[in-house]
Amino acid sequence: MSKKIIIFGSCVSRDALEYDKDNSFELVGNFARSSFASLISKPCVDLEVINSIESKFQKQMVLQDMNKSFYHYIKNNEFDILLVDLIDERFHLVLNEDGSMLTYSTEYKTAQKNKVKLLNRYHEKKFNLWFRGFSRLISILKALNKLDKIYINEVFWSNNLNLISQDYLEQSNAFLSKMYEKIREYIPKSQFITYDNNLFSCDENHKWGGAPYHYCDEFYQSTIEQLKKIK
C-alpha cells in the first residue's frame, strides 16, 4: 500500500516523486509558492490576480497562499508523511495595508498589477514571521499527535552552473541554515532528509531549466530512497 504524502515546499520535493517508480507514495496535498510567514495572516483572496493566471497549477498555488488553507488541510486530511522544504522561503513577503500578508512568488508578481509593499526575503522580521508560521504547524501536529509525521527536506542552493553571484548564494544558504537550526529545536535529527554535498549539483538540462535548486537525477533518487525507509 502506498503512503499518503503531503508536500509543503517547492519543486525540489515534488519532482522527487517522479522517481518513485514503484508507486510507494500517493501525493494527497501539494502546497507550493508559499512562505510560512504568509500563513499566519488572515486570508486575502484577490480574484483579479487569480483569474489572470492561466496555469491551473500556478492558479491553485497562489490561491492556497491567499486563502491560508494549509493548516485547515492538515487538520482535516489523513497523511503518513508531511514533507517540508524551505526553498520557497526565497520569496519576498507582501505586506498589505489591511495587515494581511502574501508570498511574492513569481506567479503572483506577474499577475499583480498594483504596487505592493515588500518585506525583504532574508530580513530578520521575515525570519521571525516565518518562525511564527512554522511554530503554528508544530502546535497543530502536536495536537493531532502527528509530530512524528513531519520530515524536513534539508536542501541548499548550488552554484555549479554559475547562475547567481557568490554573495547571493551565501546569503540564501545562510538563511536556510538559520531556519534548519531553529527547526532542530523541535524536530529530531531522524526526521530530516539530508544529502551528501556532491548531490547538490544543478542540472543544466533540468525540465524546469537551470536554477540553484534544480538538481541532478541522483539527488531526487536519494530523496525517494530515504523516504522509503520511513516506517
Side-chain angles (χ1 to χ4, degrees):
M1 177 184 281
S2 59
K3 291 182 178 178
K4 298 181 185 296
I5 186 169
I6 296 174
I7 292 175
F8 184 94
S10 67
C11 57
V12 167
S13 296
R14 175 64 184 87
D15 287 353
L17 294 185
E18 296 182 12
Y19 294 76
D20 175 26
K21 302 305 181 184
D22 54 3
N23 298 315
S24 297
F25 305 100
E26 177 190 0
L27 183 63
V28 296
N30 187 27
F31 295 79
R33 314 290 199 271
S34 195
S35 166
F36 277 106
S38 167
L39 298 185
I40 63 172
S41 85
K42 62 183 178 181
C44 45
V45 177
D46 187 333
L47 291 178
E48 185 176 349
V49 170
I50 294 298
N51 292 333
S52 66
I53 300 175
E54 294 184 7
S55 164
K56 183 178 179 181
F57 170 78
Q58 295 176 356
K59 189 189 296 281
Q60 180 184 12
M61 296 303 104
V62 174
L63 178 60
Q64 287 175 167
D65 183 64
M66 288 180 169
N67 64 25
K68 320 301 181 190
S69 58
F70 173 64
Y71 298 133
H72 178 80
Y73 193 88
I74 291 295
K75 292 176 183 177
N76 292 279
N77 290 273
E78 289 300 318
F79 59 94
D80 300 301
I81 297 172
L82 169 59
L83 184 61
V84 173
D85 80 71
L86 303 176
I87 290 297
D88 283 348
E89 295 295 340
R90 71 187 187 276
F91 296 118
H92 299 308
L93 198 64
V94 178
L95 306 178
N96 293 321
E97 291 184 359
D98 65 356
S100 62
M101 296 180 288
L102 294 167
T103 306
Y104 197 52
S105 64
T106 305
E107 295 78 12
Y108 175 84
K109 179 180 179 180
T110 301
Q112 171 61 257
K113 306 305 180 186
N114 301 319
K115 187 175 181 180
V116 294
K117 180 181 179 181
L118 298 177
L119 175 63
N120 185 275
R121 65 191 110 204
Y122 300 142
H123 195 281
E124 185 68 18
K125 183 178 179 181
K126 162 75 185 304
F127 175 82
N128 292 333
L129 291 169
W130 164 82
F131 180 59
R132 284 177 57 192
F134 189 81
S135 295
R136 183 173 295 180
L137 173 60
I138 295 300
S139 297
I140 291 170
L141 292 175
K142 283 183 176 178
L144 295 171
N145 198 28
K146 290 184 176 181
L147 191 58
D148 62 334
K149 304 292 188 184
I150 186 173
Y151 283 80
I152 308 301
N153 201 3
E154 186 177 1
V155 297
F156 292 94
W157 290 28
S158 172
N159 201 24
N160 61 290
L161 300 181
N162 295 313
L163 298 172
I164 56 175
S165 70
Q166 188 65 21
D167 286 346
Y168 187 26
L169 176 76
E170 292 176 359
Q171 185 182 35
S172 300
N173 282 338
F175 196 77
L176 284 168
S177 293
K178 186 176 180 180
M179 290 186 288
Y180 297 140
E181 183 178 355
K182 195 67 178 176
I183 291 174
R184 283 191 170 86
E185 297 178 13
Y186 302 86
I187 304 296
K189 181 180 179 180
S190 59
Q191 288 172 235
F192 278 71
I193 306 294
T194 60
Y195 305 88
D196 292 335
N197 286 335
N198 65 296
L199 290 181
F200 295 123
S201 177
C202 297
D203 181 3
E204 62 183 342
N205 298 314
H206 194 284
K207 68 175 183 177
W208 304 124
Y213 34 79
H214 291 165
Y215 306 113
C216 59
D217 291 345
E218 291 78 10
F219 169 87
Y220 302 108
Q221 291 165 355
S222 177
T223 306
I224 291 298
E225 289 170 5
Q226 294 185 69
L227 288 173
K228 285 182 177 180
K229 292 178 182 178
I230 297 172
K231 304 299 183 182

